[in-house]
């Protein structure tokens, strides 16, 4: 299993070399969006309106951070459960999104979209939110402020530790890991 | 019989405020102990790394008052009121809600309550969810449980057939937890409620997640079931954060009550590895 340092926006070449189980330290801009923001973005697409950001090459972090204390860019900011974004991820991947960051399983449709359009689902450690939040250096709400923790934020991150979970070759880290460690007690 | 005692709801508000802040930043000691024990037994290198990250998170959270998890949960309150308590200075439910609202504001905790249909965020994390029990005596016991949405979503109530029995219960819980996989942030504490009725089973399951981690049930039959389920879940290989390993659950806790001759209610409620709960007696 390899370890990579990547900076957004990500290219097809960046994605193709990644294999499920690889570790990635991600830097650059990532955008946050959860259920409510995804519903609105997909609605906008249907109406032919602009999205709050161009998804091409971008990574979306499924997170609703806790409020920042004065002087800090963000509060705690670990991943939320990703399956709730199953209906939306393939649509945005088709529009050029290159990565999702979250926790937990996603659907076969998401896996297929990762293969077809060269994208990657990165797993982060749920509930390690104070530590993960430290990778965030800057945060700014760019859309839907009324959604509070669910607003779309533009984050600048430095060396955010991630695991490649679904790669662009159809592999699934959760399945691989589970098989390897089953019936070992 | 104890003497009737006045308890000011202002004291309850203050207690709730402190419990909510404490729960958000400081992991219960028994949870950390169980995680350390699991670390010693763990054989997967990745799982060890994940647990190390969890330990670091616990440290950072406690020292710098960053919430353990960004999802600081809804406030779930188990309120045991002695029948000889007389609340003064206001309405107890208002006081509890005020304590929660103040803590989530002052502590920079996330406000997660919303309208179920429009999904509009209420911005105050209210209302608290309060389960009240009347007990003997003149004391008030409060358990505050900050319950996140990820683990809560991996819950269910199922009305089994009486013939499903012990083995049917075990199979249902194990299958459910394996299917939940990485979603509820393993290693988890699995709460199980057996019997009662539809809603009692659910309350028991949640209450069971708050027991001291790994302390077996007083009922030897249930204690044995707890062990059997735990071994089966941990043999799934899911592991911490779902990245593989021997530690998928830290413990299984079962509570049981009598039920109707025609029913076998079963409820499962999962607590994640940041099982944030604190309690006090007034
Ligand atoms: S399940 Fe628990 S640890 Fe995981 S994101 Fe939710 S509250 Fe945090």
């Amino acid at each position: 299993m390899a370890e990579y340092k990547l900076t957004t926006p990500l290219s097809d070449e960046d994605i193709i070399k990644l294999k499920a189980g690889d570790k990635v330290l991600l830097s650059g801009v990532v955008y946050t969006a959860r259920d409510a923001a995804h519903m609105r973005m997909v609605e906008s697409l249907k109406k032919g309106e602009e999205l709050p950001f161009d998804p091409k090459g971008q990574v979306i972090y499924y997170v609703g951070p806790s409020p920042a204390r004065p002087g800090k860019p963000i509060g705690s900011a670990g991943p939320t459960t990703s399956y709730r974004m199953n209906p939306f991820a393939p649509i945005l991947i088709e529009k050029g999104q290159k990565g999702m960051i979250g926790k937990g399983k996603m659907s076969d449709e998401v896996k297929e979209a990762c293969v077809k359009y060269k994208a990657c689902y990165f797993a982060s450690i749920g509930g390690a939110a104070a530590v993960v939040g430290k990778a965030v250096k800057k945060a700014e709400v760019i859309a839907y402020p009324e959604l509070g923790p669910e607003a779309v934020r533009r984050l600048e991150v430095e060396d955010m530790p991630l695991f490649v979970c679904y790669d662009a070759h159809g592999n699934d880290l959760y399945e691989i890991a589970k098989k390897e460690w089953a019936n070992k007690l | 019989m104890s003497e009737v005692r006045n308890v000011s709801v202002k004291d309850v508000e203050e207690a709730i405020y402190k419990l909510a802040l404490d729960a958000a930043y400081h992991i219960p000691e028994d949870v950390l102990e169980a995680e350390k024990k699991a670390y010693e037994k763990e054989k997967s290198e990745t799982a060890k790394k994940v647990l190390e990250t969890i330990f670091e998170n616990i440290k950072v959270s406690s020292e710098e008052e960053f919430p353990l998890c960004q999802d600081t949960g809804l406030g779930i309150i188990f309120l045991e009121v002695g029948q000889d308590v007389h609340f003064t200075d206001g309405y107890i439910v208002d006081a509890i809600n005020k304590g929660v609202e103040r803590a989530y504001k002052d502590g920079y905790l996330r406000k997660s309550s919303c309208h179920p249909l429009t999904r509009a965020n209420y911005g105050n994390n209210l209302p608290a969810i309060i389960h009240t029990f009347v007990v003997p005596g003149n004391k008030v016991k409060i358990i505050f449980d900050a319950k996140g949405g990820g683990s809560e979503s991996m819950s269910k109530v199922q009305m089994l057939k009486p013939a499903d029995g012990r083995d049917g219960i075990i199979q249902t819980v194990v299958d459910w937890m394996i299917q939940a996989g990485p979603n509820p942030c393993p290693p988890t504490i699995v709460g199980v409620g057996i019997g009662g009725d539809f809603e009692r089973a659910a309350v028991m399951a949640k209450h069971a997640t708050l027991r001291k981690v790994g302390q077996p049930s007083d009922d030897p039959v249930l204690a044995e079931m707890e062990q059997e389920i735990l071994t089966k879940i941990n043999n799934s290989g899911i592991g911490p954060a779902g990245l593989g390993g021997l530690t998928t659950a830290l413990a299984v806790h079962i509570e049981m009550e009598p039920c109707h001759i025609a029913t076998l209610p079963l409820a499962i409620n999962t607590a994640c590895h940041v099982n944030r709960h604190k309690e006090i007696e007034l």
Side-chain angles (χ1 to χ4, degrees):
Chain A
M1 272 166 248
E3 224 175 301
Y4 297 101
K5 276 186 170 245
L6 292 179
T7 304
T8 60
L10 301 182
S11 65
D12 281 2
E13 292 73 66
D14 289 330
I15 296 294
I16 288 167
K17 68 182 177 201
L18 300 177
K19 292 264 156 53
D22 288 347
K23 284 193 195 125
V24 168
L25 293 173
L26 188 71
S27 299
V29 170
V30 304
Y31 293 94
T32 74
R34 299 173 30 117
D35 319 39
H38 274 88
M39 285 185 221
R40 293 202 190 183
M41 289 196 290
V42 167
E43 198 55 36
S44 294
L45 280 177
K46 274 193 204 145
K47 290 190 199 144
E49 294 165 2
E50 290 253 316
L51 292 179
F53 60 92
D54 182 355
K56 268 201 192 75
Q58 299 304 335
V59 174
I60 297 183
Y61 185 11
Y62 301 149
V63 61
S66 68
R69 285 184 184 272
K72 304 264 191 225
I74 205 162
S76 289
T80 193
T81 325
S82 307
Y83 72 88
R84 302 193 313 268
M85 269 54 78
N86 282 342
F88 314 117
I91 300 171
L92 292 169
I93 292 172
E94 200 185 325
K95 295 269 172 225
Q97 181 186 341
K98 284 290 160 203
M100 295 77 73
I101 303 170
K103 59 140 173 142
K105 295 178 273 191
M106 295 191 79
S107 63
D108 288 343
E109 288 73 21
V110 174
K111 282 186 196 172
E112 283 155 20
C114 285
V115 174
K116 187 163 173 200
Y117 299 103
K118 313 266 175 300
C120 178
Y121 171 42
F122 300 100
S124 172
I125 301 175
V131 170
V132 179
K134 295 224 154 188
V136 178
K137 302 302 168 194
K138 256 190 180 172
E140 179 197 354
V141 172
I142 60 160
Y144 321 136
E146 66 282 7
L147 292 179
E150 296 205 68
V152 173
R153 289 170 171 78
R154 181 184 184 276
L155 306 183
E156 285 177 31
V157 303
E158 228 175 81
D159 290 338
M160 179 178 266
L162 303 170
F163 295 87
V164 176
C165 192
Y166 300 171
D167 61 24
H169 313 283
N171 300 306
D172 173 344
L173 173 60
Y174 290 138
E175 284 306 319
I176 297 169
K178 194 168 124 183
K179 250 184 226 140
E180 188 184 341
W181 288 96
N183 301 314
K184 288 270 183 342
L185 284 182
Chain B
M1 290 294 286
S2 50
E3 299 237 325
V4 172
R5 187 172 148 250
N6 285 339
V7 175
S8 169
V9 299
K10 297 223 162 66
D11 292 340
V12 174
E13 178 189 327
E14 204 47 36
I16 293 275
Y17 178 78
K18 287 190 182 138
L19 292 174
L21 290 174
D22 191 17
Y25 306 128
H26 308 289
I27 198 93
E29 258 167 49
D30 57 317
V31 179
L32 179 56
E33 273 313 303
E35 285 165 358
K36 283 187 180 156
K37 264 196 214 147
Y39 181 82
E40 295 306 322
K41 284 199 220 142
E42 186 54 73
K43 295 209 173 68
S44 150
E45 278 312 309
T46 307
K48 283 200 170 248
K49 285 266 154 57
V50 172
L51 289 168
E52 282 164 20
T53 307
I54 287 173
F55 297 144
E56 193 194 335
N57 190 65
I58 288 169
K59 192 161 169 274
V60 169
S61 174
S62 175
E63 288 175 2
E64 302 179 33
E65 301 211 320
F66 270 103
L68 283 157
C69 185
Q70 79 288 340
D71 181 353
T72 44
L74 294 184
I76 317 295
I77 284 109
F78 284 85
L79 185 69
E80 293 177 19
V81 184
Q83 67 173 355
D84 296 318
V85 166
H86 174 232
F87 286 120
T88 61
D89 301 324
Y91 178 39
I92 178 74
V93 172
D94 290 344
I96 290 173
N97 280 326
K98 230 187 196 167
V100 170
E101 182 173 12
R102 278 176 47 218
Y104 277 69
K105 180 163 177 286
D106 294 354
Y108 294 86
L109 310 185
R110 199 179 83 184
K111 289 77 176 169
S112 303
S113 69
C114 73
H115 187 284
L117 301 179
T118 67
R119 311 306 293 178
N121 194 304
Y122 294 134
N124 55 9
N125 217 46
L126 296 184
I129 292 172
I130 307 170
H131 303 294
T132 310
F133 305 88
V134 178
V135 297
N138 61 9
K139 298 266 164 46
V140 179
K141 185 176 161 192
I142 305 167
I143 308 178
F144 183 90
D145 178 17
K147 193 72 174 74
S151 52
E152 184 72 358
S153 290
M154 297 298 113
S155 309
K156 80 159 162 182
V157 176
Q158 191 173 334
M159 304 305 279
L160 299 183
K161 293 188 296 300
D164 291 329
R166 177 189 184 277
D167 292 349
I169 291 168
I170 290 175
Q171 197 61 46
T172 307
V173 177
V174 172
D175 288 349
W176 180 254
M177 290 315 298
I178 290 178
Q179 180 257 320
N183 293 0
C185 290
T188 54
I189 292 139
V190 182
V192 178
I194 302 173
D197 64 356
F198 174 74
E199 77 278 4
R200 278 295 305 161
V203 174
M204 281 192 282
K206 182 160 287 173
H207 191 258
T209 65
L210 309 176
R211 190 198 294 168
K212 183 166 183 285
V213 180
Q215 182 188 309
S217 165
D218 294 337
D219 179 337
V221 173
L222 297 186
E224 202 193 306
M225 286 171 77
E226 290 172 348
Q227 267 314 310
E228 188 173 335
I229 295 171
L230 180 65
T231 305
K232 286 190 165 149
I233 292 173
N234 284 338
N235 253 331
S236 69
I238 293 164
L243 299 177
L246 309 180
T247 322
T248 305
L250 296 168
V252 176
H253 297 161
I254 305 179
E255 290 188 14
M256 188 167 79
E257 280 178 3
C259 60
H260 188 281
I261 51 171
T263 73
L264 177 53
L266 171 71
I268 306 165
N269 187 243
T270 314
C272 49
H273 66 79
V274 296
N275 186 10
R276 297 156 295 185
H277 59 91
K278 298 279 158 145
E279 58 183 73
I280 193 173
E281 194 176 79
L282 296 178

Short mmCIF file of all heavy atoms in Angstrom, two decimals, chain A residues 79-80 103 126-127, chain B residues 69-71 147-151 183-185 272-274 276, ligand 1:
data_model
loop_
_atom_site.label_atom_id
_atom_site.label_comp_id
_atom_site.label_asym_id
_atom_site.label_seq_id
_atom_site.Cartn_x
_atom_site.Cartn_y
_atom_site.Cartn_z
N PRO A 79 -15.80 13.39 9.32
CA PRO A 79 -16.73 13.05 8.24
C PRO A 79 -18.10 12.63 8.76
O PRO A 79 -18.21 12.08 9.85
CB PRO A 79 -16.05 11.85 7.59
CG PRO A 79 -15.32 11.18 8.73
CD PRO A 79 -14.82 12.32 9.58
N THR A 80 -19.12 12.87 7.95
CA THR A 80 -20.45 12.33 8.25
C THR A 80 -20.65 11.06 7.41
O THR A 80 -19.84 10.74 6.54
CB THR A 80 -21.55 13.38 7.98
OG1 THR A 80 -22.77 12.93 8.58
CG2 THR A 80 -21.78 13.61 6.51
N LYS A 103 -17.42 8.83 5.52
CA LYS A 103 -17.23 7.56 6.22
C LYS A 103 -18.41 6.66 5.92
O LYS A 103 -19.52 7.14 5.70
CB LYS A 103 -17.09 7.79 7.73
CG LYS A 103 -18.30 8.48 8.35
CD LYS A 103 -18.69 7.93 9.69
CE LYS A 103 -19.77 8.78 10.33
NZ LYS A 103 -20.77 8.04 11.06
N GLY A 126 -14.26 8.50 11.22
CA GLY A 126 -15.39 9.15 11.87
C GLY A 126 -15.14 9.28 13.36
O GLY A 126 -14.59 8.37 13.98
N GLY A 127 -15.50 10.42 13.92
CA GLY A 127 -15.35 10.60 15.35
C GLY A 127 -13.95 10.97 15.79
O GLY A 127 -13.68 11.08 16.98
N CYS B 69 -16.45 14.98 18.73
CA CYS B 69 -16.94 14.82 17.37
C CYS B 69 -17.70 16.08 16.98
O CYS B 69 -18.32 16.71 17.83
CB CYS B 69 -17.86 13.61 17.28
SG CYS B 69 -18.35 13.33 15.56
N GLN B 70 -17.62 16.42 15.69
CA GLN B 70 -18.34 17.62 15.23
C GLN B 70 -19.85 17.45 15.41
O GLN B 70 -20.57 18.41 15.61
CB GLN B 70 -18.00 17.95 13.77
CG GLN B 70 -18.72 17.13 12.70
CD GLN B 70 -18.20 15.71 12.63
OE1 GLN B 70 -17.11 15.42 13.09
NE2 GLN B 70 -19.00 14.80 12.08
N ASP B 71 -20.32 16.20 15.32
CA ASP B 71 -21.72 15.94 15.61
C ASP B 71 -21.86 15.82 17.12
O ASP B 71 -21.58 14.76 17.69
CB ASP B 71 -22.21 14.67 14.91
CG ASP B 71 -23.68 14.41 15.20
OD1 ASP B 71 -24.26 15.15 16.03
OD2 ASP B 71 -24.24 13.48 14.60
N LYS B 147 -26.20 12.29 21.68
CA LYS B 147 -26.34 11.19 20.72
C LYS B 147 -26.23 11.69 19.29
O LYS B 147 -27.06 12.46 18.82
CB LYS B 147 -27.70 10.51 20.94
CG LYS B 147 -27.83 9.18 20.24
CD LYS B 147 -26.96 8.12 20.93
CE LYS B 147 -27.17 6.75 20.34
NZ LYS B 147 -26.55 6.57 19.02
N GLY B 148 -25.20 11.21 18.60
CA GLY B 148 -24.97 11.62 17.22
C GLY B 148 -25.89 10.91 16.25
O GLY B 148 -26.45 9.85 16.54
N GLY B 149 -26.02 11.49 15.07
CA GLY B 149 -26.97 10.97 14.08
C GLY B 149 -26.47 9.73 13.35
O GLY B 149 -27.27 8.90 12.91
N GLY B 150 -25.16 9.59 13.20
CA GLY B 150 -24.62 8.46 12.43
C GLY B 150 -24.89 7.13 13.11
O GLY B 150 -25.36 6.17 12.49
N SER B 151 -24.61 7.08 14.40
CA SER B 151 -24.84 5.84 15.13
C SER B 151 -26.33 5.64 15.38
O SER B 151 -26.84 4.52 15.33
CB SER B 151 -24.06 5.82 16.44
OG SER B 151 -24.31 6.99 17.18
N ASN B 183 -20.62 2.36 9.15
CA ASN B 183 -21.45 3.57 9.28
C ASN B 183 -21.53 4.16 10.69
O ASN B 183 -21.46 5.38 10.84
CB ASN B 183 -22.86 3.29 8.76
CG ASN B 183 -22.89 3.06 7.27
OD1 ASN B 183 -21.86 3.09 6.61
ND2 ASN B 183 -24.06 2.81 6.72
N PRO B 184 -21.72 3.34 11.75
CA PRO B 184 -21.90 3.95 13.07
C PRO B 184 -20.59 4.25 13.80
O PRO B 184 -20.59 4.37 15.03
CB PRO B 184 -22.71 2.89 13.82
CG PRO B 184 -22.34 1.60 13.19
CD PRO B 184 -21.93 1.88 11.78
N CYS B 185 -19.48 4.41 13.08
CA CYS B 185 -18.19 4.72 13.69
C CYS B 185 -17.75 3.68 14.71
O CYS B 185 -17.67 3.95 15.91
CB CYS B 185 -18.18 6.11 14.30
SG CYS B 185 -18.24 7.39 13.06
N CYS B 272 -21.52 5.05 19.22
CA CYS B 272 -20.23 5.07 18.52
C CYS B 272 -19.08 5.09 19.53
O CYS B 272 -19.30 5.12 20.73
CB CYS B 272 -20.17 6.28 17.63
SG CYS B 272 -20.65 7.79 18.47
N HIS B 273 -17.86 5.14 19.01
CA HIS B 273 -16.71 5.08 19.93
C HIS B 273 -16.57 6.33 20.78
O HIS B 273 -15.84 6.34 21.75
CB HIS B 273 -15.41 4.76 19.17
CG HIS B 273 -14.99 5.83 18.21
ND1 HIS B 273 -14.35 6.97 18.63
CD2 HIS B 273 -15.12 5.93 16.88
CE1 HIS B 273 -14.11 7.73 17.57
NE2 HIS B 273 -14.56 7.13 16.49
N VAL B 274 -17.25 7.44 20.40
CA VAL B 274 -17.33 8.55 21.35
C VAL B 274 -18.69 8.48 22.04
O VAL B 274 -19.61 9.22 21.75
CB VAL B 274 -17.11 9.94 20.69
CG1 VAL B 274 -15.73 10.06 20.13
CG2 VAL B 274 -18.12 10.23 19.59
N ARG B 276 -20.74 9.53 24.41
CA ARG B 276 -20.68 10.67 25.33
C ARG B 276 -21.86 10.71 26.27
O ARG B 276 -22.95 11.10 25.87
CB ARG B 276 -20.61 11.98 24.51
CG ARG B 276 -19.36 12.08 23.67
CD ARG B 276 -19.57 13.00 22.51
NE ARG B 276 -20.56 12.46 21.59
CZ ARG B 276 -20.88 13.02 20.42
NH1 ARG B 276 -20.31 14.14 20.05
NH2 ARG B 276 -21.78 12.47 19.64
S1 LIG C 1 -21.45 8.19 14.82
FE1 LIG C 1 -20.55 9.19 16.63
S2 LIG C 1 -18.38 9.42 16.19
FE2 LIG C 1 -19.44 8.99 14.26
S3 LIG C 1 -19.83 10.98 13.38
FE3 LIG C 1 -21.66 10.40 14.52
S4 LIG C 1 -21.38 11.24 16.58
FE4 LIG C 1 -19.41 11.30 15.54
#
